[in-house]
Amino acid sequence: MGPVPLCLLLSVTSLVVVVAVEAQEATGGDDEYTWPQWKLPLVRNRRTVALSSPGFMAKPQGELNRTCGIECQRRLPDPSLADLEEFLSYETVYENGTRTLTSVSVQGLNEVNAWPAGNSSTSFKSRRRREVYGTDTRFSIADKQFSTKYPFSTSVKISTGCSGVLLSPKHVLTAAHCIHDGQDYVSGAQKLRVGVLKEKSRRGKGGKGKRGRGKGKRRKGGEDKEEEEKEEKDGGKERKGGKGKDRKSRSRRSAEVEKPSFRWTRVKQTQVPKGWFKGGASEGVAADYDYAVLELKKAQKVKHMDLGVIPSVKKLPAGRIHFSGFDDDRPDNLVYRFCSVSEESKDLLYQYCDAKPGSSGSGVYIRLKEPGKKKWKRKIIGVFSGHQWVDVNGNGAQQDYNVAVRITPLKYAQICYWVHGDSSECRDT
């Protein structure tokens, strides 16, 4: 047996780390590690009006500036019901470029369990701009053998340069700033696509087999199919050549790690909450609404991850969050990381998870027991917004943090409605 490739060792090591961390998190009491059950409000559509088509002129944002942080938001008045309904109203942009605005009503808000206001126990210190803090603790899941297995397989790549997570076979949760800068949709959002990690290549199943009989004909205008075939063609260049060369390289190829590749799917429509848009009452809380849902044209045969609501991450015995995305400095590799939450408010999580541009939009998840069961389940509790310059004290001084948007009961109800189209299915977590 020849030497084991370093990249394979790194992939195995990262998988061992994931298992070890989750095993450590599973050592607490049952009550501390059980998903809380929430009675959720109802978010119902009130009216939908047509808007003019977007300009799609905005440039993708590498980082967000002048965000009102935890201490800054403490000085803001609590939003009224009318404010919340304004923030949760949303725009829908369809693949043909048309756009609508839907106003909503919120019902049953008083029935929801008390959602704790965030507290800040640690003094904020001025720091230099960093996305990686000290030693880089990220793990590249470079081998397709691991990256296409749950939970890593739920991570997707957005064509505008961000990441996302599968909420259902046809829905992806990502950051709003990945498709909208607060004033207009980014240029790449007009023909938005989502890349799902491919587990197996179709090539090699027999050129004169089923596909040769006509079942594999390419449809006209099938951009997704063309993308797949291009990837498979590029990946098969090594196979050309004489038999001798093929025999010599076969043993080497068997030890090589198969890198991830993507199956690209067009987006049917996007939905962004109005709270993300600049101006008006949302000016101080826009960062709280940095999330969006993309509906895919084609359902994916990949296990998805459900949403969850947790009142406090810091009060969990381990207090760790996890997320995976496609960081720009590690092209086409899925990158996994975990860390403890440093500060939290009712809408934001501040943490020092090492991350680079490209990971924005990743689903932040934790793992807890299901009520009344011994089974553990991962759920998405936030969206990684990315590196942000934050006005922490409300005096205009900017400090930098890696920030995630929390899934609150109201946001859960809204996102659940976007996915299911029926608010009655979104009464409980």
Side-chain angles (χ1 to χ4, degrees):
M1 180 178 176
V4 179
L6 177 60
C7 50
L8 180 58
L9 286 174
L10 291 175
S11 296
V12 174
T13 301
S14 60
L15 190 64
V16 170
V17 168
V18 175
V19 174
V21 169
E22 292 185 343
Q24 183 181 355
E25 293 175 352
T27 56
D30 286 344
D31 293 338
E32 294 174 318
Y33 283 96
T34 300
W35 282 108
Q37 295 177 294
W38 289 81
K39 189 75 173 177
L40 298 174
L42 285 177
V43 176
R44 297 184 183 276
N45 286 359
R46 178 177 288 164
R47 187 179 63 158
T48 298
V49 296
L51 300 178
S52 60
S53 296
F56 297 106
M57 299 294 290
K59 295 182 179 179
Q61 295 177 283
E63 62 183 34
L64 305 180
N65 295 311
R66 301 192 180 280
T67 296
C68 184
I70 291 176
E71 292 297 320
C72 169
Q73 289 188 1
R74 281 184 170 182
R75 296 175 173 84
L76 299 175
D78 291 333
S80 64
L81 177 60
D83 289 334
L84 291 173
E85 291 177 339
E86 178 75 7
F87 299 154
L88 293 171
S89 297
Y90 59 92
E91 280 192 4
T92 303
V93 173
Y94 302 90
E95 60 177 330
N96 63 1
T98 58
R99 176 175 55 156
T100 60
L101 173 63
T102 301
S103 58
V104 303
S105 63
V106 176
Q107 302 172 13
L109 191 59
N110 295 331
E111 302 174 15
V112 180
N113 313 49
W115 185 250
N119 50 31
S120 179
S121 58
T122 304
S123 61
F124 291 97
K125 298 180 181 179
S126 178
R127 298 187 287 111
R128 293 175 297 170
R129 180 185 184 279
R130 292 181 293 180
E131 291 131 346
V132 174
Y133 303 94
T135 303
D136 193 340
T137 58
R138 296 173 297 163
F139 298 90
S140 290
I141 314 298
D143 191 347
K144 187 158 47 173
Q145 179 182 352
F146 302 108
S147 62
T148 55
K149 298 296 185 291
Y150 188 85
F152 305 124
S153 57
T154 63
S155 299
V156 300
K157 193 170 186 177
I158 312 298
S159 59
T160 54
C162 287
S163 301
V165 61
L166 279 171
L167 284 178
S168 83
K170 290 190 72 174
H171 295 87
V172 169
L173 178 66
T174 188
H177 77 262
C178 293
I179 59 174
H180 195 289
D181 73 347
Q183 294 178 320
D184 191 12
Y185 290 84
V186 302
S187 55
Q190 191 166 12
K191 294 184 178 180
L192 199 60
R193 297 182 304 153
V194 168
V196 179
L197 287 165
K198 293 198 318 184
E199 186 168 5
K200 295 178 181 179
S201 173
R202 292 184 179 181
R203 199 165 41 79
K205 290 189 177 181
K208 294 184 179 180
K210 292 182 179 180
R211 294 185 67 182
R213 296 192 188 107
K215 291 189 177 181
K217 285 184 178 180
R218 190 172 66 202
R219 291 171 292 181
K220 291 182 179 179
E223 296 181 16
D224 299 343
K225 195 70 178 175
E226 290 173 3
E227 197 75 32
E228 278 187 42
E229 292 183 356
K230 183 179 183 301
E231 288 170 359
E232 292 174 1
K233 183 178 179 181
D234 293 342
K237 286 179 181 177
E238 291 182 11
R239 304 200 175 198
K240 295 180 180 180
K243 292 183 179 179
K245 288 183 179 180
D246 186 62
R247 286 173 182 170
K248 287 181 181 181
S249 61
R250 188 175 300 166
S251 60
R252 285 200 302 270
R253 285 204 309 272
S254 64
E256 289 176 358
V257 171
E258 192 173 2
K259 292 184 178 181
S261 55
F262 300 90
R263 178 180 295 106
W264 291 94
T265 302
R266 290 291 299 272
V267 172
K268 182 179 179 181
Q269 65 180 34
T270 65
Q271 289 166 312
V272 180
K274 196 175 177 182
W276 169 248
F277 302 147
K278 292 179 180 177
S282 64
E283 189 65 34
V285 297
D288 301 349
Y289 295 90
D290 188 14
Y291 61 90
V293 168
L294 318 179
E295 182 179 344
L296 308 180
K297 290 188 70 175
K298 184 179 180 182
Q300 303 301 303
K301 297 179 180 179
V302 178
K303 185 178 179 181
H304 62 274
M305 195 178 294
D306 293 332
L307 285 178
V309 176
I310 193 78
S312 174
V313 179
K314 287 188 70 176
K315 290 182 180 179
L316 293 175
R320 291 194 186 99
I321 58 172
H322 310 250
F323 63 94
S324 302
F326 297 93
D327 300 45
D328 287 349
D329 63 333
R330 302 185 184 184
D332 295 331
N333 279 340
L334 183 64
V335 182
Y336 162 78
R337 73 228 78 199
F338 66 91
C339 69
S340 297
V341 171
S342 300
E343 305 295 335
E344 63 182 358
S345 71
K346 59 184 179 181
D347 285 288
L348 299 174
L349 296 172
Y350 285 4
Q351 31 72 25
Y352 300 140
C353 285
D354 292 329
K356 287 285 187 180
S359 59
S360 294
S362 299
V364 176
Y365 65 89
I366 60 173
R367 182 172 171 265
L368 296 175
K369 281 186 178 180
E370 293 189 86
K373 300 179 182 179
K374 294 182 178 180
K375 184 179 179 181
W376 291 75
K377 187 172 183 178
R378 300 174 183 87
K379 290 185 180 181
I380 304 162
I381 61 159
V383 182
F384 181 58
S385 189
H387 174 265
Q388 294 186 8
W389 289 99
V390 178
D391 181 1
V392 175
N393 298 311
N395 59 5
Q398 299 287 306
Q399 298 175 20
D400 73 312
Y401 292 91
N402 282 342
V403 181
V405 177
R406 297 183 67 180
I407 302 299
T408 65
L410 266 176
K411 293 171 188 173
Y412 184 108
Q414 181 188 52
I415 295 169
C416 180
Y417 176 76
W418 286 346
V419 171
H420 296 287
D422 184 356
S423 57
S424 63
E425 295 188 30
C426 308
R427 287 296 285 162
D428 301 286
T429 56

